Amino acid sequence: MSALPYIDGPVLERLVPVGRAVAVLEQALRDGLDPELTPRRPAVDLPAGQLLLMPAAAGRYAGVKAVTVTPDNPGRGLPRIQGTYLLLDGPTLAPLAALDGIALTSLRTPAVSALAVAHLAEPDARRLVVFGSGPQAYGHVLALREVRPVEHVTVVGRDPARAAALAARCRTLGLAAEPLTTGAPTAEAPTAEAAVVPGAVADAIRAADLVACCTTAAQPLFPGKLARDGVTVVAVGSHEPGVRELDGDLVARATVVVEARSAALEEAGDVIIPIRHGTITSGHLAGNLAELIAGRVVAGPGPRVFKSTGMAWQDLVVAAAAYEAWK
């Protein structure tokens, strides 16, 4: 048996630039992929953290991503999230290639957000606020400027040095960029509606055309009332029913699009918690990503929200594109 090919992060980025990732995800949906039929994500609790398995099959391929979440790893100088993707031949289930699972996640998550923004946001969206200062935050800057004429980025983070570093990195792309900090999180419960942000952060949110929430926060990042009508907010940081980045006020005012209703109602605290509180019902969800792409979602007069938890079909589509480009 020959050695299984391994596609690492730099090769993956070369084979499937983010614009290409957006295109293949959209084409998969236009070709009839139904995100509601994606198998659920089993989560296994382990002594050190959690193991997530993300299987999917579509067209000529199948695959599974194994991801570990280890909260204590950053203190050891190791990544909090690690993983590997195994791509399989669809008809025979023979292994075809292994891919860097974290690089794959870092690519497909912003690409999915960009796909939603391309169909949801105002065409002239130029001002972006990014909550977070890690790889997903930077990935969203790269991806969103592929689909909208982003000119200005405000990076909002808890760590001043990291926020400043990401803002500097954005400036190397030719963008105007500034860092702002929120300080340490409070001890509020995850279900709390109130979120307090410094005045400069509040002003940035009020002026934003796009807001990308890319954090590990367990509670709302900002008061939803700050989000103006017409702004598009994407929230990608959580996949657990008890935590969220957005408050009920914002969700209730917004046209809300999710990757899949089935996944959102099981995993997305951003919509599950407002439903539990009676702020919204499940009928408030305007549509899933496939319906948005097909033009079956009409944005209302308020904000627009895209809530992402990450789904296995997205990994499969991007991994297959990388493999086909590699062959």
Side-chain angles (χ1 to χ4, degrees), residues 265 269-285:
L265 294 174
D270 299 80
V271 297
I272 293 171
I273 293 170
I275 290 173
R276 287 176 182 165
H277 289 178
T279 307
I280 63 170
T281 68
S282 59
H284 184 70
L285 303 182

Side-chain angles (χ1 to χ4, degrees), residues 17-76:
V18 66
R20 173 64 178 159
V22 175
V24 297
L25 289 163
E26 178 161 10
Q27 191 59 54
L29 294 171
R30 291 195 181 279
D31 288 345
L33 187 151
D34 185 352
E36 302 290 349
L37 300 180
T38 300
R40 296 279 69 79
R41 168 174 34 207
V44 180
D45 290 328
L46 302 174
Q50 197 174 53
L51 171 65
L52 307 176
L53 298 175
M54 300 179 65
R60 298 164 48 202
Y61 298 99
V64 61
K65 185 169 71 176
V67 178
T68 58
V69 182
T70 313
D72 291 341
N73 267 5
R76 305 180 177 113

Side-chain angles (χ1 to χ4, degrees), residues 64-253:
V64 61
K65 185 169 71 176
V67 178
T68 58
V69 182
T70 313
D72 291 341
N73 267 5
R76 305 180 177 113
L78 296 172
R80 178 176 178 270
I81 300 176
Q82 302 175 91
T84 300
Y85 194 85
L86 179 63
L87 183 68
L88 310 171
D89 176 71
T92 67
L93 299 183
L96 297 175
L99 295 87
D100 182 327
I102 301 313
L104 180 60
T105 303
S106 296
L107 171 61
R108 64 86 158 139
T109 303
V112 171
S113 294
L115 178 55
V117 165
H119 292 269
L120 202 56
E122 295 173 333
D124 61 346
R126 299 177 186 278
R127 297 186 68 87
L128 167 63
V129 173
V130 177
F131 281 85
S133 54
Q136 280 297 338
Y138 183 64
H140 274 74
V141 173
L142 295 177
L144 296 184
R145 69 197 293 261
E146 289 282 330
V147 298
R148 286 297 182 267
V150 174
E151 296 176 346
H152 186 278
V153 179
T154 300
V155 178
V156 183
R158 295 186 313 207
D159 184 315
R162 292 187 61 182
L166 180 55
R169 198 173 181 189
C170 291
R171 288 193 287 271
T172 67
L173 301 174
L175 301 169
E178 61 177 348
L180 297 174
T181 55
T182 57
T186 69
E188 285 184 286
T191 55
E193 291 293 341
V196 179
V197 295
V201 175
D203 290 342
I205 295 168
R206 292 189 187 99
D209 302 309
L210 302 168
V211 178
C213 301
C214 312
T215 75
T216 58
Q219 62 192 45
L221 294 168
F222 59 89
K225 64 184 179 182
L226 296 176
R228 66 169 181 83
D229 291 349
V231 68
T232 296
V233 180
V234 298
V236 306
S238 69
H239 62 271
E240 298 176 60
V243 303
R244 56 178 172 165
E245 295 175 295
L246 309 180
D247 70 10
D249 177 85
L250 174 55
V251 172
R253 291 172 50 218

